[in-house]
Amino acid sequence: MSGVALDARPIGIFGGTFDPIHLGHLRTGFELLQSLQLSELRWIPVGNPGHREPPLAAAALRLEMVRAAVAGQPGFVLDEREVRRSGASYTVDTLEELHAEHPARPLCLVLGMDAFLGLTAWRRWTDILELAHLVVAHRPGWQRPEQGLLRDLLEQRGTTHAADLHAALAGRIYVHAVTQLEISSTGLRDIITSGRDPRFLVPEPVRAIIRETGCYAAQAD
Ligand code: ATP
């Protein structure tokens, strides 16, 4: 592949509260990095989510956990911009910044199916599709929409060809069947709060941070 073609590979963006980051996030990101041939996958912890309850763990700690989780994986990059920004975090602002920084690179915003089903409530959601492709990862318990606006969007913009994400800067929707791992941050917080051990659901360095800081609750040995 020529240098020019390599430069044109899309940048993946995986945003979330990551309260805490878990293997469902990481395996999904890894499979997408490889199968879509992304040049990198940026992990962007939300600072102050405008649309949901504030996270339990402080932003600095969530950053620390994501940093520990992605360390050593080529192509995984922690991007701190939403935590550093003051005020509520909005994905559209982040995409505008990234597009300004990389005007010739396709952007691929990764979402679980649950998040995609809520897309029309996001701030300036139609602008999001002007700025990025959506890569929707199947998630246990969630089905693709069978009616309404999102079903229509999938019909109009959906593609099963990863090459389409390289050929345009934004606007396509790619649904990808990643390995189904039924792990959620909510479930993890419940496990920890009830004194059980999140081993094998989060990377060991993240488990160590949770244990050392007691950020969710004391945890059994
Ligand atoms: P919570 O339970 O607190 O809502 P979560 O586990 O859904 O947390 P988030 O940080 O809110 O994690 O999710 C960030 C993104 O990761 C969302 O797009 C979500 O759909 C996706 N995601 C979360 N868990 C999984 C999973 N197990 N498999 C695939 N995608 C996931």
Side-chain angles (χ1 to χ4, degrees):
M1 208 181 278
S2 76
V4 173
L6 279 176
D7 280 343
R9 282 193 297 161
I11 297 172
I13 297 143
F14 202 143
T17 40
F18 302 132
D19 188 25
I21 190 165
H22 54 67
L23 295 183
H25 298 128
L26 290 157
R27 181 68 205 177
T28 297
F30 182 63
E31 290 182 12
L32 291 172
L33 178 73
Q34 293 198 315
S35 62
L36 302 183
Q37 297 189 21
L38 304 174
S39 62
E40 63 186 61
L41 183 63
R42 290 189 179 223
W43 297 85
I44 310 191
V46 86
N48 167 14
H51 61 290
R52 57 182 279 173
E53 292 284 294
L56 218 60
L61 201 51
R62 289 181 294 111
L63 277 182
E64 200 188 319
M65 289 191 278
V66 176
R67 187 177 297 112
V70 305
Q73 173 52 51
F76 277 9
V77 176
L78 169 63
D79 185 322
E80 306 189 5
R81 73 182 67 218
E82 290 196 6
V83 166
R84 304 272 165 247
R85 195 183 294 149
S86 58
S89 303
Y90 293 107
T91 300
V92 69
D93 298 334
T94 299
L95 293 175
E96 277 178 343
E97 283 178 18
L98 284 167
H99 178 64
E101 288 162 23
H102 307 278
R105 300 281 294 278
L107 301 178
C108 289
L109 179 66
V110 177
L111 300 170
M113 185 60 81
D114 56 310
F116 175 68
L117 293 175
L119 179 71
T120 56
W122 290 27
R123 186 185 175 96
R124 292 173 51 207
W125 72 271
T126 52
D127 290 346
I128 289 178
L129 277 162
E130 302 294 318
L131 291 160
H133 301 298
L134 299 186
V135 172
V136 183
H138 281 300
R139 192 173 175 187
W142 300 89
Q143 302 298 324
R144 59 164 69 213
E146 286 179 3
Q147 55 187 17
L149 194 51
L150 289 174
R151 198 274 316 262
D152 296 348
L153 262 185
L154 271 178
E155 233 168 64
Q156 293 151 10
R157 296 171 178 262
T159 177
T160 54
H161 303 293
D164 289 338
L165 308 178
H166 291 239
L169 288 179
R172 304 305 301 267
I173 305 178
Y174 179 90
V175 180
H176 193 69
V178 293
T179 300
Q180 298 292 279
L181 293 170
E182 196 162 1
I183 307 172
S184 72
S185 300
T186 304
L188 275 165
R189 292 192 302 271
D190 288 346
I191 285 174
I192 299 162
T193 308
S194 61
R196 287 173 292 141
D197 190 333
R199 192 168 197 188
F200 305 128
L201 296 173
V202 296
E204 272 304 297
V206 171
R207 178 169 167 261
I209 293 169
I210 292 171
R211 291 170 79 93
E212 278 157 23
T213 62
C215 57
Y216 299 112
Q219 178 185 309
D221 285 324

